[in-house]
Amino acid sequence: MELKTQYFVQYSNDSIINRFVIPKETFTSISIGIRNVGTDFIFPLVQNMFSFPIFFVLENDIFEQGKSIISERNIPSYKFSSNGFIIKIESVDTLEAFCDISVDLALNGISVFIFFGQGLYEEDLVPLTQWNKPIEFKNLDFQKVETFIDVSEVGTTIFSRNNKFNSPRKVSYFISASYSLDIENSDL
C-alpha cells in the first residue's frame, strides 16, 4: 500500500501574515504545509476553491514554457517588470498548465500569487517587492479580493474572507483525497 503524502493545516503565524501589506482584519490566514508541493496538490486545490477567472501573479521569469503557452493560446497577460507576468486564467487546461509552471517557480524560490475576486484587473495585481519590507499591492482594492494564495516550496498560505475557507478544518475539504491530513500538527 502506497503511503499518501501528508499535509498540515494551521492558522498562519504572524511572520507569514506580516509578509504582506493587507487589511488583516478582513482576511483569515491559513497555512497548508506539505513536503514537495506539486501540481497534483495545487491544481485540485485551486480548481475546487474557485471559479473563473483566476489570476496568477508570477514575479519572475516564467521560463520559455510559460511564454509559449501564453502566445499559443492567446491568454490574456500583463507584463509588469522585465520578467514578471500576471495571467488571467479562464479554462481548466490553462489552469493546470499554470499550476504546473507555478510549482516549478515556487520550488525555485520564486514568488507566485493566485487571486480570486470580483472586478479584478491584471494591472491592479502588480506586487511591490523589496527585500526588507512586506510585499505590497499598491493598486489593489482589497474589497474586490475574496481570496489570494501565496504558493511556496513548502505549501501555501491562503488569505480569504470567504466563510468556506475560514478555518483549517474547512480548507482541508478542498484538498485532493490523494493526500492525507496530519491531524497531530493541524489546528482542527
Side-chain angles (χ1 to χ4, degrees), residues 25-143:
E25 65 282 350
T26 60
F27 289 93
T28 300
S29 178
I30 309 285
S31 294
I32 303 172
I34 185 167
R35 188 178 318 142
N36 300 325
V37 68
T39 303
D40 62 336
F41 180 80
I42 296 293
F43 173 65
L45 177 69
V46 173
Q47 186 180 30
N48 290 336
M49 288 177 71
F50 308 130
S51 59
F52 296 112
I54 303 167
F55 294 87
F56 277 57
V57 179
L58 310 175
E59 274 201 305
N60 212 315
D61 193 7
I62 57 172
F63 310 120
E64 290 307 312
Q65 175 192 6
K67 291 176 185 174
S68 66
I69 290 172
I70 289 170
S71 176
E72 289 167 10
R73 299 182 188 185
N74 199 26
I75 297 169
S77 65
Y78 178 80
K79 189 169 182 161
F80 66 87
S81 67
S82 61
N83 50 7
F85 281 88
I86 299 169
I87 294 90
K88 182 178 184 179
I89 304 213
E90 300 185 90
S91 71
V92 172
D93 61 326
T94 303
L95 175 62
E96 187 169 27
F98 277 95
C99 284
D100 192 41
I101 291 166
S102 295
V103 166
D104 288 344
L105 292 173
L107 291 175
N108 284 292
I110 298 170
S111 293
V112 176
F113 310 110
I114 302 170
F115 282 87
F116 178 74
Q118 298 300 315
L120 297 176
Y121 296 98
E122 291 92 331
E123 305 83 33
D124 299 337
L125 302 174
V126 175
L128 177 60
T129 306
Q130 298 174 358
W131 75 272
N132 60 345
K133 294 185 179 178
I135 298 168
E136 188 172 6
F137 297 90
K138 279 191 171 272
N139 300 326
L140 182 57
D141 175 359
F142 273 95
Q143 292 303 314

Side-chain angles (χ1 to χ4, degrees), residues 144-155:
K144 296 179 178 180
V145 176
E146 175 196 282
T147 304
F148 84 93
I149 299 175
D150 177 21
V151 181
S152 72
E153 62 247 274
V154 293

Side-chain angles (χ1 to χ4, degrees), residues 4-18:
K4 293 181 179 182
T5 301
Q6 284 197 318
Y7 68 93
F8 67 84
V9 185
Q10 300 175 339
Y11 288 104
S12 299
N13 65 35
D14 285 343
S15 65
I16 292 172
I17 295 168
N18 293 332

Side-chain angles (χ1 to χ4, degrees), residues 26-28 49-50 116 145-147 158-167 170-171 174:
T26 60
F27 289 93
T28 300
M49 288 177 71
F50 308 130
F116 178 74
V145 176
E146 175 196 282
T147 304
I158 299 169
F159 297 85
S160 185
R161 67 175 81 240
N162 187 322
N163 288 337
K164 290 194 278 185
F165 322 126
N166 69 352
S167 77
K170 290 178 184 178
V171 167
F174 294 92

